[in-house]
Amino acid sequence: MTYAEVRQNARGKMGPCHACPVCDGAACRNTIPGPGAKGSGTVFRRNYQAWQDILLNMDTIFPYGKTDTRFSFFGQEMSLPVFAAPIGAVGNHYGSLLQEEEYDRMLVSGCRKAGIAAFTGDGLQDRFFSAGVQAMQNEGFAVPTVKPWNRDLVFSKIEEAKKAGASVMAMDIDASGLPFLRNTNPPSGSKTVEELREIIEFAGVPFILKGIMTVKGAQKAMEAGASGIIVSNHGGRVLDHTPATAWVLPEIADAVHGSMTVLVDGGIRTGADVFKAIALGADGVLIGRPMVTAVYGAGEEGIGVYCRQIADELRDVMSMCGAHRLKEITRDMIYVHR
């Protein structure tokens, strides 16, 4: 099975998502995921296009050797520097074919079998977060990702994840801009450095903050004690007129000087995109909607098919640009046309 076949099989099963051959946000605009959508959808498309505008510097004059795409993440050895992005309330956003429990089970298990890992999501119903925690407990390593609720609810969810054995956790603090999180009870929203520090200390494990788009934000995340950040604008769904993640990644990565794990998401689709992200300073990437398509199209097998495609693409680019290992990928291997 190919990923094209997986995508074709998913078509018509994912609510308003068309499972397009090119997942660039052009056809769905700002309709995905429905209740969480906000703005014009231009930032989603900007994220995607920014990776296409970065080109590759081909150089095959270097010692021949096998390419190695293995990646170490807080003690977990993975076959690729790739993660499934946290997606919450899939039944609400992508149709009733799958609900959270079944989706998270297949996602976490499929990622584990493919040699990568999933960030699991959260949402208005407590069972959304619990489904990811349960999948992690039953199927293997994952990163439970909590939304920026008030202190009591965040602590409650972190405690649930701790009891289930979570060794890494995250918060998608950029979700504070989602319309359905506004005026919730208990409330959710932005956090101060002091509030984040308290949360991170309570978690007691490496903690990653998703939604960093500036050097200043990265520095505040570091001050709060985060072990990692995800350069992300929440798929372009929370604030129009923001830059693409690929545009801001280099200055953020340079600013933290290797003192934090730096991941990036937003419009990443191929192994070539993964290579470009690493060249710009990321340690790894998160991929969202294509992973959803993989699960809806072929379950665990779909994740494996997609990951094999990304791995083949990444190895091919590495072998044509002079890198045997991920750490050998450098910024001079890409060409940014101005």
Side-chain angles (χ1 to χ4, degrees):
M1 177 179 282
T2 66
Y3 185 67
E5 292 170 325
V6 171
R7 188 176 59 244
Q8 182 62 39
N9 194 41
R11 191 163 297 156
K13 299 178 181 178
M14 297 175 62
C17 178
H18 309 296
C20 298
V22 178
C23 182
D24 60 359
C28 58
R29 301 289 175 175
N30 63 336
T31 62
I32 299 291
K38 179 183 177 183
S40 65
T42 57
V43 181
F44 185 110
R45 298 194 297 281
R46 184 177 299 136
N47 281 341
Y48 171 84
Q49 189 58 45
W51 298 111
Q52 310 316 302
D53 292 340
I54 299 169
L55 307 179
L56 302 169
N57 286 329
M58 185 175 68
D59 178 7
T60 55
I61 304 177
F62 69 100
Y64 176 79
K66 291 184 178 180
T67 54
D68 184 355
T69 62
R70 288 177 297 175
F71 175 62
S72 181
F73 179 74
F74 298 110
Q76 299 290 328
E77 296 298 321
M78 306 200 304
S79 63
L80 287 169
V82 173
F83 300 85
I87 306 289
V90 290
N92 294 345
H93 299 156
Y94 292 99
S96 59
L97 178 68
L98 294 175
Q99 293 300 316
E100 213 76 12
E101 292 78 6
E102 185 65 5
Y103 173 83
D104 280 345
R105 182 192 66 77
M106 290 191 290
L107 179 73
V108 174
S109 178
C111 285
R112 175 181 56 79
K113 291 176 181 178
I116 67 167
F119 282 65
T120 58
D122 192 8
L124 287 174
Q125 299 180 35
D126 286 344
R127 71 177 185 83
F128 293 158
F129 184 79
S130 297
V133 169
Q134 190 65 44
M136 174 199 70
Q137 195 169 22
N138 293 340
E139 305 296 340
F141 176 74
V143 184
T145 307
V146 65
K147 295 203 177 300
W149 310 107
N150 74 333
R151 180 186 185 279
D152 290 346
L153 186 54
V154 168
F155 274 42
S156 173
K157 294 194 175 194
I158 288 177
E159 184 63 31
E160 179 183 359
K162 288 168 67 173
K163 289 180 179 177
S167 59
V168 183
M169 298 185 207
M171 173 183 284
D172 55 340
I173 195 165
D174 49 351
S176 60
L178 290 172
F180 70 87
L181 288 189
R182 298 278 176 85
N183 302 315
T184 55
N185 185 20
S188 64
S190 59
K191 298 282 181 281
T192 66
V193 168
E194 291 73 23
E195 289 172 321
L196 288 172
R197 185 183 296 115
E198 185 182 18
I199 290 168
I200 292 169
E201 288 177 353
F202 179 75
V205 297
F207 201 93
I208 299 169
L209 288 177
K210 176 179 173 291
I212 304 301
M213 286 293 291
T214 64
V215 168
K216 187 176 181 179
Q219 291 169 339
K220 287 190 283 188
M222 191 183 307
E223 185 183 350
S227 299
I229 56 173
I230 302 171
V231 177
S232 175
N233 51 31
H234 213 86
R237 297 187 296 108
V238 294
L239 181 65
D240 272 349
H241 310 288
T242 57
T245 53
W247 294 353
V248 300
L249 171 61
E251 61 183 359
I252 292 174
D254 289 347
V256 300
H257 297 299
S259 58
M260 307 173 74
T261 295
V262 178
L263 307 176
V264 63
D265 71 5
I268 295 164
R269 301 290 179 260
T270 67
D273 295 339
V274 176
F275 181 94
K276 295 170 188 178
I278 295 172
L280 290 176
D283 296 301
V285 309
L286 275 69
I287 299 177
R289 198 173 310 176
M291 293 290 188
V292 181
T293 302
V295 173
Y296 273 78
E300 295 180 24
E301 183 182 359
I303 294 290
V305 168
Y306 184 48
C307 287
R308 284 193 295 275
Q309 175 177 300
I310 290 177
D312 288 344
E313 294 165 344
L314 177 58
R315 283 193 293 265
D316 185 49
V317 174
M318 290 172 66
S319 68
M320 294 298 290
C321 293
H324 294 115
R325 300 179 301 154
L326 298 178
K327 291 188 178 298
E328 295 175 4
I329 299 174
T330 54
R331 205 163 293 178
D332 61 359
M333 294 179 177
I334 57 174
Y335 180 86
V336 182
H337 179 66
R338 299 296 184 186

